Amino acid sequence: MFETASIDVDNGQTFDVIANNVSRENIFIKNATFNGKPFNRTYLTHAEIMYGGELIFTMGNTPNKLWGADTDSAPPDTGIGQFLHTESLPEGSR
């Protein structure tokens, strides 16, 4: 658990992650923004991280079952590796 983390991406930029309202009880993502815009994906690209910016999560004590639930919110299947426990993923997520 952390409230903030910062990564120096070596181009004069930083990539910051902020978890507002995080606690032992507030472990669920309620919503998120990336560089000031609503963010509903469950992944970031390398390019997004290297560009720098700010990813802000608002945390709560109950899951927001809509956050990250859209079909295009899951990471793309690039054919590398294997997803574990696919049988327990929500229908349509993979």
Side-chain angles (χ1 to χ4, degrees):
M1 254 191 318
F2 59 89
E3 293 177 3
T4 63
S6 185
I7 302 168
D8 178 2
V9 293
D10 276 342
N11 60 4
Q13 300 291 327
T14 59
F15 181 77
D16 300 314
V17 180
I18 299 166
N20 290 327
N21 203 34
V22 69
S23 69
R24 290 193 182 279
E25 295 78 29
N26 295 337
I27 60 171
F28 298 101
I29 298 170
K30 301 308 267 181
N31 59 59
T33 61
F34 182 52
N35 291 334
K37 297 179 182 166
F39 188 77
N40 198 42
R41 282 188 281 133
T42 60
Y43 69 97
L44 291 163
T45 66
H46 181 259
E48 288 169 328
I49 294 169
M50 294 308 292
Y51 184 78
E54 190 174 67
L55 177 62
I56 300 175
F57 294 105
T58 300
M59 309 300 289
N61 63 357
T62 57
N64 173 355
K65 294 184 179 184
L66 297 177
W67 188 86
D70 293 338
T71 306
D72 60 350
S73 294
D77 184 357
T78 60
I80 300 172
Q82 153 185 352
F83 285 94
L84 301 176
H85 312 291
T86 55
E87 71 281 351
S88 63
L89 293 173
E91 186 172 331
S93 64
R94 211 11 84 210

